[in-house]
Amino acid sequence: MSVRELVVLGTGSQVPTRTRNHNGYLLRWDGEGLLFDPGEGTQRQMLFAGVAASSITRICLSHFHGDHCLGVPGVVQRLSLDGVRHPVVAHYPASGAEYFARLRHASVFHETAELVESPVTEPGEIARGAFGRLVARRLSHPVESFGYQLVEPDTRRMLPDQLAALGVCGPAVGQLQRDGFVEVGGRRVELSAASEPRRGQRFAFVMDTRLCDGVFELAEHADLLVIESTFLSADAALATEYGHLTAAQAGRVAAECGVRKLVLSHFSQRYPAPEAFRAEAAGSFGGEIVVASDISRIAVPSRRPYRAAAG
Ligand SMILES: [Zn+2]
């Protein structure tokens, strides 16, 4: 069985607290492991969470404030120490290339792992693979910040009973998938007769930002949305001033964008009781809300039925 889940490594903004490490999130998506915004201490949080460095295939940074990137040196060096054999791709805002260069070479180590830099220069598709499309959108923060969206295309699921009934077997199945039809015993069988639509899944990662178009574009129809909610509404003016969201705004985004599961994170250390974040988001979003805690696992919801919503 393929695994699709979010491993939460850290949930604190700005400074770690006794209960919250700096940010850090690993999205396990079949064979991919996308590490988002590894803040300071991420390497040790991975140990607690049972995540091996070898499970990382991509590193995606939203921006270069320390709580989103100070974990890069440890993680990068660990890749080599553990002898990771596959290349790891790093995405980050191109305007911060000098910071990434320093983080990557922060101290002396024997570099054997292959780290491929793929800086984000403008919004749009930044990678494509078996996982689907990885898309970046510009956010609104005092320094350049990008959010990320993983979009798996809709496909078709073959129906074994229908295939058997129609006499399609062996290499003819592949041909049917490839060409959209196949000739069997002098009859033409269409793909639609032996398969059904299969809804692709979507994941979105929205970190430090005010409300802006990019937030809504990223969150659109996300099965799982991880979004910052640094502040509560009482401090909405601070949120706007420093380029952040409130939990109420995050809930509104989720409601307007047809999100299925909402994960709130990146909490300011000023709030001791995280449940208030859930209550504010629930004011407008009726779906499932998770107030993220360190070292937790959040499943990507099961596939959306094909007719349930638009894509
Ligand atoms: Zn931050």
Side-chain angles (χ1 to χ4, degrees):
M1 265 301 275
S2 57
V3 174
R4 292 188 177 182
E5 65 175 5
L6 182 79
V7 182
V8 180
L9 302 167
T11 55
S13 73
Q14 201 171 42
V15 295
T17 70
R18 285 174 182 271
T19 54
R20 298 190 186 279
N21 199 75
H22 262 176
N23 278 288
Y25 313 85
L26 183 87
L27 177 69
R28 283 153 49 87
W29 188 275
D30 306 339
E32 290 272 335
L34 296 96
L35 179 65
F36 291 93
D37 282 3
E40 192 179 340
T42 293
Q43 191 183 174
R44 191 148 187 263
Q45 296 295 92
M46 285 167 52
L47 177 72
F48 288 134
V51 171
S54 58
S55 63
I56 301 169
T57 58
R58 274 173 208 276
I59 299 172
C60 301
L61 305 184
S62 61
H63 66 296
F64 283 96
H65 280 148
D67 53 328
H68 299 259
C69 66
L70 285 176
V72 167
V75 169
V76 164
Q77 294 190 22
R78 188 64 183 269
L79 296 173
S80 283
L81 193 66
D82 286 4
V84 171
R85 290 168 180 268
H86 56 260
V88 173
V89 182
H91 303 287
Y92 54 82
S95 59
E98 64 172 300
Y99 302 117
F100 192 83
R102 285 186 215 146
L103 292 164
R104 179 178 180 173
H105 299 294
S107 71
V108 64
F109 70 108
H110 181 54
E111 187 169 13
T112 57
E114 186 185 353
L115 187 67
V116 182
E117 295 186 37
S118 179
V120 182
T121 53
E122 56 185 39
E125 181 180 306
I126 56 171
R128 186 182 280 248
F131 53 83
R133 303 188 308 126
L134 184 62
V135 174
R137 297 282 176 220
R138 207 178 285 286
L139 297 172
S140 173
H141 198 52
V143 299
E144 187 172 51
S145 184
F146 282 101
Y148 297 93
Q149 180 192 45
L150 194 62
V151 182
E152 181 187 39
D154 294 346
T155 54
R156 297 192 73 86
R157 192 172 73 85
M158 304 307 286
L159 301 170
D161 290 351
Q162 291 298 104
L163 287 168
L166 293 162
V168 182
C169 59
V173 177
Q175 203 179 334
L176 178 60
Q177 285 176 297
R178 211 169 41 248
D179 301 339
F181 71 94
V182 69
E183 301 278 349
V184 178
R187 280 182 307 112
R188 180 182 163 110
V189 175
E190 301 290 339
L191 179 60
S192 57
S195 66
E196 63 181 10
R198 179 176 179 264
R199 172 72 70 187
Q201 289 186 306
R202 289 189 184 196
F203 167 82
F205 181 78
V206 176
M207 275 300 136
D208 296 15
T209 185
R210 302 175 181 87
L211 278 184
C212 65
D213 290 349
V215 173
F216 291 91
E217 289 166 5
L218 291 163
E220 184 73 9
H221 294 135
D223 293 282
L224 187 66
L225 167 65
V226 179
I227 188 166
E228 73 123 305
S229 58
T230 311
F231 292 103
L232 293 172
S233 294
D235 296 310
L238 286 180
T240 305
E241 182 180 349
Y242 293 111
H244 287 294
L245 297 173
T246 65
Q249 288 172 326
R252 238 174 59 215
V253 169
E256 287 182 28
C257 294
V259 167
R260 297 178 72 203
K261 193 188 275 193
L262 171 65
V263 179
L264 304 174
S265 191
H266 192 270
F267 305 110
S268 165
Q269 71 271 19
R270 75 186 58 218
Y271 307 112
E275 284 310 302
F277 289 87
R278 179 194 306 278
E280 282 206 355
S284 49
F285 180 62
E288 186 178 353
I289 299 172
V290 179
V291 177
S293 55
D294 286 23
I295 317 300
S296 59
R297 286 167 189 262
I298 300 167
V300 175
S302 57
R303 215 167 273 283
R304 198 189 288 255
Y306 195 74
R307 290 177 207 289

